[in-house]
Amino acid sequence: MDKKEFFDLLEKYKSGKCTELEQKLLFKFCDDTQLNDIASKWSLTEEEETRIRILKNIQQRISAEKEAVLQTRQFKL
């Protein structure tokens, strides 16, 4: 995925028009490439850097929520 494809998909996600498959692709890309390395290779505007930070925060919250759900399910068993 190149810079334009990434930000197009990120914009689609932000507007709520991202399919579940596209969302998984976006998050997998972020996980696989560790955005800090990608950001250093791309010339990023301040807005693009902000979008990346927001996406990282979203990913962290989703991961924390998934972990909490798993712990709750294990506790109930």
Side-chain angles (χ1 to χ4, degrees), residues 6-65:
F6 172 76
F7 282 104
D8 287 347
L9 194 54
L10 185 58
E11 187 61 35
K12 197 172 178 182
Y13 175 79
K14 181 180 146 191
S15 67
K17 297 177 182 174
C18 204
T19 67
E20 186 176 331
L21 181 61
E22 290 170 327
Q23 180 178 331
K24 286 180 182 179
L25 176 65
L26 181 63
F27 288 166
K28 181 170 180 5
F29 175 79
C30 294
D31 288 341
D32 290 348
T33 57
Q34 299 176 3
L35 283 176
N36 289 330
D37 292 337
I38 292 296
S40 67
K41 294 175 187 172
W42 291 343
S43 294
L44 298 173
T45 65
E46 187 175 329
E47 179 181 350
E48 291 170 335
E49 289 176 359
T50 301
R51 288 179 179 182
I52 289 172
R53 282 193 303 276
I54 290 169
L55 181 59
K56 282 182 177 181
N57 287 336
I58 290 169
Q59 284 184 285
Q60 289 172 349
R61 287 181 182 178
I62 289 172
S63 293
E65 287 177 15

